[in-house]
Amino acid sequence: MYPDVNVPAIPTGAALGAEIRDVDLRAIDASAFDAIYRAWLDHQVLLVRDQRLTDDDLIAFSRRFGDLDYAPVQENGRRFVDGHPEIYVVSNVVENGVAIGSLGSGEAVWHTDMSYLPNPPKASVLYALEVPASGGDTIFGSMYSAWESLPGALKARVATARIKHDGTYNSGGYVREGVTPTDDPRESEGAFHPLVYAHPETGREGLYLGRRRNAYIEGLPLAESEALLGELWAFATDERLTWRHHWRAGDLVLWDNRCTMHRRDPFDQADRRIMHRTQISPSGRAAPSDV
Ligand code: SIN
């Protein structure tokens, strides 16, 4: 732990997550940022409420963590904010017949952001502009805890395995634009990653699963891969290893894609939910010097 009297992180009490209170992210100095960075490494997910960020403010805060990746390719609709290709829009709102963002109002299944790429983003920052009265909660799971919870025999079976992260479907179940859909994970677009991942900054090991659909454990017969994945996912999505966030407008949540997964509850399509997200590249700016 890295306590900091000026920027205390209050743990959620769940398996992961902490809240940073009484801070305006537009006006933090280097030492406050360092404390936030350390709290993020410790708690995996951070919540900061009551922010009033423009898109430029969101980009400026996110850039303190590293270079930004462009918004991911999605099903249709507007993929990013005009003039800001780094800001991915997550929304169910339709204007003049065009979806202003992605993922609609349905459930977004468990996933890690953009893990179908060879170099997925290390972090994502999601900022709530408009939220529904109910539903649309985001649930985070600790993949450190998931790995630690596996029985020894299962750990031994997967310790050196590689897993394919599918790039066909997004977490809303939509086929990404330009991709030819297939439900054979051996043929689908995607990237292989180690199934057990040592976090480059904390050194802790965690499961790195991506998405369940079209996942594939390299070298195994498909049925065996499916059975093993079924076992792993049962541990990884255990509710005791999760933290649920109910959104308010002005909430900013920052998560570490290297040691967490998340999913989103559905909500009423008649409600409006508009979120702006940045994704931070694994390369680029280093962590604070003394981390
Ligand atoms: C996402 O997967 O980045 C979106 C999560 C959400 O809509 O809460």
Side-chain angles (χ1 to χ4, degrees):
M1 292 290 170
Y2 303 89
D4 186 294
V5 285
N6 298 316
V7 190
I10 297 134
T12 61
L16 72 170
E19 182 176 349
I20 303 284
R21 296 212 179 127
D22 304 321
V23 70
D24 179 347
L25 294 175
R26 297 171 300 187
I28 47 172
D29 62 15
S31 95
F33 176 72
D34 281 7
I36 289 173
Y37 197 103
R38 290 164 178 157
W40 170 64
L41 289 180
D42 282 344
H43 298 283
Q44 307 168 61
V45 184
L46 290 183
L47 163 66
V48 193
R49 290 205 190 263
D50 302 321
Q51 299 303 298
R52 288 189 305 175
L53 306 182
T54 63
D55 286 330
D56 285 329
D57 294 331
L58 176 61
I59 287 176
F61 173 68
S62 304
R63 279 222 174 103
R64 297 180 85 157
F65 289 82
D67 294 337
L68 302 188
D69 286 332
Y70 287 149
V73 176
Q74 288 298 327
E75 64 274 21
N76 54 39
R78 232 179 290 152
R79 174 176 152 199
F80 51 78
V81 174
D82 283 345
H84 291 307
E86 312 90 335
I87 298 188
Y88 171 52
V89 183
V90 178
S91 184
N92 65 317
V93 173
V94 177
E95 281 174 2
N96 303 319
V98 179
I100 69 162
S102 304
L103 297 183
S105 57
E107 181 187 5
V109 298
W110 281 112
H111 66 283
T112 303
D113 291 329
M114 298 160 72
S115 63
Y116 49 87
L117 299 175
N119 291 303
K122 69 177 182 182
S124 301
V125 182
L126 191 61
Y127 179 58
L129 295 164
E130 292 186 47
V131 298
S134 63
D137 290 2
T138 308
I139 299 94
F140 296 89
S142 167
M143 293 304 103
Y144 292 144
S145 303
W147 169 245
E148 285 153 17
S149 75
L150 297 189
L154 188 50
K155 276 187 172 165
R157 278 170 72 200
V158 298
T160 59
R162 294 202 320 154
I163 180 172
K164 185 167 182 190
H165 292 230
D166 175 63
T168 311
Y169 301 98
N170 68 17
S171 54
Y174 301 99
V175 176
R176 292 180 198 281
E177 204 172 5
V179 173
T180 308
T182 169
D183 286 318
D184 184 338
R186 295 163 300 187
E187 305 296 331
S188 68
E189 298 210 9
F192 280 97
H193 296 290
L195 205 157
V196 185
Y197 181 82
H199 193 292
E201 293 181 74
T202 67
R204 286 182 75 183
E205 288 189 322
L207 279 179
Y208 192 58
L209 293 177
R211 288 173 174 75
R212 176 66 186 89
R213 187 170 183 180
N214 267 5
Y216 173 62
I217 299 179
E218 189 175 39
L220 291 188
L222 192 50
E224 213 176 296
S225 165
E226 284 293 303
L228 188 48
L229 286 168
E231 274 188 72
L232 291 170
W233 274 86
F235 284 96
T237 56
D238 182 334
E239 212 178 324
R240 289 169 299 183
L241 311 184
T242 66
W243 168 61
R244 167 179 289 272
H245 178 53
H246 181 63
W247 292 91
R248 298 195 318 223
D251 285 355
L252 178 141
V253 174
L254 159 72
W255 62 85
D256 191 329
N257 281 308
R258 300 163 297 185
C259 56
T260 66
M261 292 200 299
H262 56 282
R263 70 171 184 84
R264 183 197 74 195
D265 280 347
F267 56 97
D268 190 335
Q269 174 56 28
D271 284 344
R272 288 167 63 92
R273 188 177 189 268
I274 305 178
M275 324 285 277
H276 282 183
R277 193 187 86 185
T278 55
Q279 32 293 308
I280 296 150
S281 166
S283 55
R285 184 196 180 282
S289 52
D290 51 348
V291 167

